[in-house]
Amino acid sequence: MDTSDLLSIGVFARRSWLSPRALRLYEQQGLLVPALVDARTGYRWYRPEQLGTARLVARLRRLDMPLARITAIVAAASSRNPAGNSAGNPTGNSAEAVALLDAFWSDEEHRVAARRELVHHLRIRLLGEEGDLSMYDIQVRDVPEQLVLTEQRHVRVQELPAWIDEGTGRLLKAAAGHGDGMAGPCFIVYHGAVNEESDGPVEICLPIAPGGGAVEAATRVEPAHREAYTRITKAQVAFPQILSAYDAVQAWTEREGAVPLGSPREVYFADFTAAGPDDLCCDIAQPIE
């Protein structure tokens, strides 16, 4: 067994900034496969050319990136290597590898932003009456009568995001064959509390223009009304921090002596999927007399 041109696992670990234990794990994942394994002792040897991939893995792990995403980035970064495998030395970040890295970091920024808003929500809860809801700017507007496509279901908070995505998709498909399609922002009406124990019901409403012909969805008329509302960012939409915005609207109606009329709702006036964590995209609204 000629190992003169290879690096022992100990030397490779020191030069790659990875521990021998980590190297064995990455071998099991097919991420960093040794160039040679002694059949008798199980001792591992690596090619010097593999150091580039190993150091890339080490840097990605410092971002707390899951191994599945690291594997995808390493594969993309190595795609131009003549060896054509992730054990080779990356010749440089391909556009695909950079796109995968950007996607990971975007997810991380959304996660951190949501956690930041959760901390703010918890501070308000822990301070009780001293909690600061003044950060929410409450406005009032008149909403005209609307014809809406509608889908309603009893759903708990764990199932809510998936059902909203699926239900909105069904209503958008139905609206596409109706005249000019959507005639206003989609809104979600909470006819009852939604949390780990309560299941609403919840209603998705998609406004459409009248007179566009039959549609393959239930419809109803949303009456004209006045509503108090506050505008929040995508990060603030996450549960349970969104409850602070609902609390702020409710506190305003009580302070102003306004009479609630109907159920509270979330009005999504911007593309939620494309929005960044700090982009305004949703109104928390309460119809009032």
Side-chain angles (χ1 to χ4, degrees):
M1 183 175 63
D2 183 11
T3 60
S4 57
D5 295 329
L6 301 177
L7 303 176
S8 69
I9 188 171
V11 172
F12 190 80
R14 288 194 299 273
R15 292 179 61 181
S16 65
W17 318 314
L18 293 168
S19 69
R21 180 179 178 181
L23 287 172
R24 286 190 286 271
L25 172 62
Y26 300 151
E27 177 188 356
Q28 295 172 5
Q29 299 289 327
L31 187 57
L32 273 170
V33 179
L36 183 64
V37 179
D38 189 308
R40 182 174 60 85
T41 65
Y43 203 78
R44 294 158 173 79
W45 303 81
Y46 294 82
R47 295 191 303 272
E49 293 80 10
Q50 291 179 273
L51 283 170
T53 294
R55 289 169 179 167
L56 174 60
V57 170
R59 291 186 176 107
L60 294 174
R61 284 298 290 159
R62 294 190 66 179
L63 295 173
D64 291 328
M65 183 180 290
L67 284 180
R69 300 187 84 152
I70 290 177
T71 300
I73 289 176
V74 168
S78 304
S79 61
R80 290 181 289 178
N81 189 299
N85 60 68
S86 61
N89 182 38
T91 59
N93 286 334
S94 66
E96 181 184 359
V98 172
L100 291 169
L101 177 62
D102 289 345
F104 164 77
W105 192 243
S106 177
D107 290 344
E108 285 295 290
E109 289 182 326
H110 281 282
R111 184 178 65 84
V112 171
R115 292 176 67 191
R116 182 179 64 242
E117 293 300 331
L118 177 56
V119 169
H120 179 79
H121 168 77
L122 292 172
R123 284 177 56 84
I124 292 174
R125 292 293 182 182
L126 291 171
L127 290 171
E129 292 184 357
E130 298 178 6
D132 184 11
L133 294 171
S134 63
M135 65 170 288
Y136 295 100
D137 179 31
I138 311 299
Q139 301 289 327
V140 176
R141 64 188 172 201
D142 292 315
V143 180
E145 179 180 280
Q146 299 177 91
L147 175 65
V148 298
L149 302 179
T150 175
E151 183 172 321
Q152 183 169 302
R153 180 176 297 182
H154 287 273
V155 59
R156 288 188 169 84
V157 67
Q158 300 93 328
E159 308 155 340
L160 185 63
W163 174 70
I164 288 177
D165 286 345
E166 294 166 3
T168 302
R170 286 188 289 270
L171 295 185
L172 285 170
K173 183 178 180 180
H178 177 82
D180 297 326
M182 288 180 59
C186 180
F187 58 96
I188 316 295
V189 182
Y190 292 85
H191 297 290
V194 175
N195 50 47
E196 290 84 355
E197 299 177 353
S198 301
D199 61 359
V202 183
E203 181 185 15
I204 306 172
C205 297
L206 188 68
I208 57 174
V215 290
E216 296 182 0
T219 63
R220 71 170 179 86
V221 174
E222 173 71 9
H225 61 271
R226 173 167 290 189
E227 63 186 22
Y229 70 98
T230 189
R231 190 151 285 187
I232 62 175
T233 66
K234 182 174 182 176
Q236 292 172 313
V237 169
F239 182 86
Q241 47 266 47
I242 193 174
L243 299 180
S244 291
Y246 277 101
D247 289 345
V249 174
Q250 180 180 356
W252 181 91
T253 59
E254 293 174 354
R255 185 173 66 248
E256 297 296 320
V259 178
L261 181 68
S263 301
R265 68 272 320 269
E266 297 162 13
V267 183
Y268 290 91
F269 58 85
D271 186 339
F272 187 80
T273 302
D278 297 322
D279 291 339
L280 295 169
C281 62
C282 176
D283 292 337
I284 304 302
Q286 171 63 60
I288 56 176
E289 287 186 355

